Amino acid sequence: MRRTRDEVDATLQIAKLNAAELLPTVHCLGFGPGACAAAGDFCLLELEPALCQQLEAGRSLVIRGDKDEKAVLCSKDKTYDLKIADTSNMLLFIPGCKTPDQMKMEETRCNIIHTEIFGFSNNYWEVRRCRPKLKKLKKLLMENTYEGPDSQKEKDSNHSKYTTEDLLDQIQASEEEIMAQLQVLNACEIGGYWRILEFDYEMKLLNHITQLVDSESWSFSKVPLNTCLQELGPLETEEMIGHCLECYGKKYTEEGEVYFELSADKVCRATAEMLLQNAVKFNLAEFQEVWQQSVPEGVITRLDQLKGLALVDRHSRPEIIFLLKVDDLPEDNQERFNSLFSLREKWTEEDIAPYIEDLCGEKQTIGALLTKYSRSSIQNGVKVYNSRRPIS
């Protein structure tokens, strides 16, 4: 049955509503005789304006995640958590329904529109910006590190390799976030596959370059690419020499010639990792002496170059240093703090900051994280932080 204007006016009168204060068009909703889409047949997704504009511009949003992972929504450059929000109001799907604002723009007489409800839902998906889940990226690439073109592994086709498309399919992050992390990991594309250099092979390449810099008396700020390729060509491929220069330096052009400005901090950091990787603990004074002797002449080593890579224990006698890489720690906030507090009961902000700064989301500070996951106290005049919960 279809309602008449008289029936609509009678309903308004019972509801004590003044028709003059309402828009002239009336929508009469009803479930039609055809099949109606039930809850679960469709999903509603609430998006922020920026994401809506991307869809309207013809770009894509991608849902990523394996069966054992919580799904995330990815745009070209950002990652969002997906969560179901329940609502007590039934949400109706009405094709071609016009909003009040659209009706105001049209000159319509007092009329009735009979509209058929296509479907309904009691919940919708909402998105919230989150950190990209990138730990899996390194895990996948470490399955088959690159040891050089002549290594036995390169002759064996059974080892796993990943293209850009493979990584986009498996990593819960946007394309730009994945590509940025590949740079952080010093990964390179070899034969269409992304690879991480095996650490000893990477250090071999770096040593070739720094020894050449030393023998030619070049400045770290002006290392010529072409000369490096010519001199080191008999030892390594041009592709790997160029990649190593990209990892440890910054490319620039001067008078048509390509140069690299090598980063002393990166060279010192890599050298320290090489020295610490096989030692459980290292006497700090002895380490600093060996470390300084191991870097090129004129380069100065400093402990602040090792933030997020190594930890110094000032309370032991003698003082010691040991390898503790931030990218080896759990990705989850609570698990990260549990891991750190199981390693050391009390931390200064200076010591713990390099190991939690990557957990900070948008508009979040290290101080806010420490307030949420730790308690502070004063020890010998210094503020320290310990866990809010017992650590087993």
Side-chain angles (χ1 to χ4, degrees), residues 79-360:
T79 305
Y80 300 83
D81 269 327
L82 275 171
K83 293 184 179 179
I84 291 180
D86 293 317
T87 174
S88 57
N89 297 321
M90 183 178 289
L91 303 171
L92 304 178
F93 305 158
I94 304 175
C97 183
K98 294 181 179 178
T99 64
D101 288 339
Q102 290 173 320
M103 291 182 187
K104 286 177 183 176
M105 296 172 63
E106 299 176 359
E107 291 186 10
T108 55
R109 300 175 186 175
C110 183
N111 61 359
I112 297 175
I113 299 176
H114 291 88
T115 306
E116 185 176 326
I117 298 170
F118 180 73
F120 63 91
S121 178
N122 291 313
N123 54 51
Y124 60 93
W125 288 94
E126 61 181 8
V127 298
R128 186 174 300 168
R129 181 76 191 280
C130 67
R131 297 195 315 275
K133 296 170 174 58
L134 295 164
K135 183 169 284 292
K136 186 177 177 182
L137 177 60
K138 182 179 180 180
K139 181 182 176 183
L140 292 178
L141 296 182
M142 289 299 289
E143 293 172 358
N144 182 21
T145 54
Y146 186 73
E147 299 176 1
D150 300 324
S151 71
Q152 184 60 40
K153 281 204 300 186
E154 297 310 302
K155 299 171 185 177
D156 185 356
S157 60
N158 295 327
H159 291 90
S160 55
K161 297 178 184 178
Y162 300 93
T163 64
T164 300
E165 286 303 314
D166 293 332
L167 297 177
L168 288 172
D169 189 48
Q170 297 194 48
I171 306 302
Q172 291 186 291
S174 69
E175 184 173 354
E176 287 189 14
E177 289 166 331
I178 290 173
M179 300 311 290
Q181 185 65 13
L182 286 169
Q183 277 195 310
V184 171
L185 295 173
N186 288 343
C188 61
E189 202 168 9
I190 302 173
Y193 297 96
W194 285 100
R195 309 289 297 279
I196 288 180
L197 271 58
E198 197 272 331
F199 184 69
D200 288 343
Y201 178 61
E202 183 177 323
M203 291 307 299
K204 178 184 172 185
L205 291 169
L206 181 60
N207 284 335
H208 284 325
I209 293 170
T210 54
Q211 286 173 9
L212 180 62
V213 169
D214 190 47
S215 66
E216 298 289 340
S217 300
W218 291 333
S219 166
F220 250 46
S221 63
K222 197 171 185 179
V223 178
L225 172 62
N226 286 335
T227 307
C228 280
L229 297 179
Q230 290 168 9
E231 294 294 327
L232 300 178
L235 302 175
E236 301 292 345
T237 64
E238 290 188 1
E239 184 181 18
M240 287 298 100
I241 296 167
H243 173 67
C244 190
L245 285 167
E246 292 271 5
C247 292
Y248 290 93
K250 186 177 181 181
K251 182 192 287 187
Y252 67 95
T253 304
E254 186 177 293
E255 297 179 353
E257 192 77 22
V258 178
Y259 294 93
F260 279 88
E261 180 182 357
L262 292 181
S263 168
D265 287 351
K266 287 184 178 181
V267 172
C268 290
R269 188 179 175 90
T271 305
E273 184 175 353
M274 178 187 68
L275 295 173
L276 291 169
Q277 67 175 349
N278 295 320
V280 178
K281 293 179 180 178
F282 209 131
N283 179 298
L284 179 61
E286 292 177 2
F287 165 77
Q288 287 180 290
E289 183 179 348
V290 174
W291 185 26
Q292 183 60 60
Q293 292 172 352
S294 302
V295 298
E297 188 176 351
V299 174
I300 305 299
T301 59
R302 307 184 314 275
L303 287 177
D304 68 327
Q305 294 165 333
L306 306 184
K307 289 181 178 179
L309 176 69
L311 190 63
V312 174
D313 187 348
R314 299 284 186 185
H315 298 290
S316 67
R317 291 293 178 267
E319 294 178 341
I320 59 170
I321 185 171
F322 56 94
L323 200 65
L324 181 62
K325 299 165 71 174
V326 65
D327 51 0
D328 289 338
L329 296 173
E331 206 165 29
D332 176 75
N333 288 17
Q334 187 62 65
E335 290 179 11
R336 174 79 61 89
F337 276 90
N338 289 348
S339 179
L340 291 170
F341 286 126
S342 64
L343 183 69
R344 176 184 287 184
E345 183 183 359
K346 296 182 179 181
W347 292 74
T348 63
E349 183 173 347
E350 181 183 6
D351 283 345
I352 202 172
Y355 294 103
I356 61 173
E357 60 186 358
D358 64 308
L359 300 180
C360 294

